[in-house]
Amino acid sequence: MKDAVEMVVKSLVDDVDAVEVRQVDQQGATLIEIRVAPDDMGKVIGRQGRTVRALRSLAHAVGLKKRQRFVVEIVE
């Protein structure tokens, strides 16, 4: 899941080298943290949060299939 999110985020931003995606396993869920350059933050969030909502929907769909819970967060 981490690789898929990283691929999508890298295709959205201008500064590909600043993209950092971490996967942290917690109790009952897997947290996926996304860090991007400050200039690219708006591109990842999207208008009215549509892009990040789509990423979270993708993670939810994969989680249903794998019977695991994924939480996608953007870290400043």
Side-chain angles (χ1 to χ4, degrees):
M1 185 68 215
K2 174 188 172 252
D3 297 331
V5 170
E6 186 173 7
M7 181 184 67
V8 171
V9 171
K10 282 186 176 182
S11 67
L12 291 172
V13 299
D14 291 330
D15 189 5
V16 178
D17 296 330
V19 173
E20 181 183 332
V21 179
R22 275 185 7 161
Q23 184 169 333
V24 180
D25 293 323
Q26 296 178 337
Q27 290 180 349
T30 301
L31 176 65
I32 298 175
E33 293 181 346
I34 302 171
R35 293 179 194 267
V36 295
D39 295 337
D40 291 329
M41 189 69 70
K43 293 178 183 177
V44 175
I45 296 172
R47 287 192 177 192
Q48 298 178 352
R50 288 186 182 142
T51 306
V52 73
R53 194 175 322 133
L55 277 172
R56 289 179 176 144
S57 295
L58 175 69
H60 179 72
V62 170
L64 288 176
K65 191 159 188 147
K66 290 187 172 187
R67 296 181 185 216
Q68 188 176 359
R69 184 167 180 252
F70 291 104
V71 178
V72 177
E73 292 291 326
I74 299 174
V75 181
E76 292 184 40

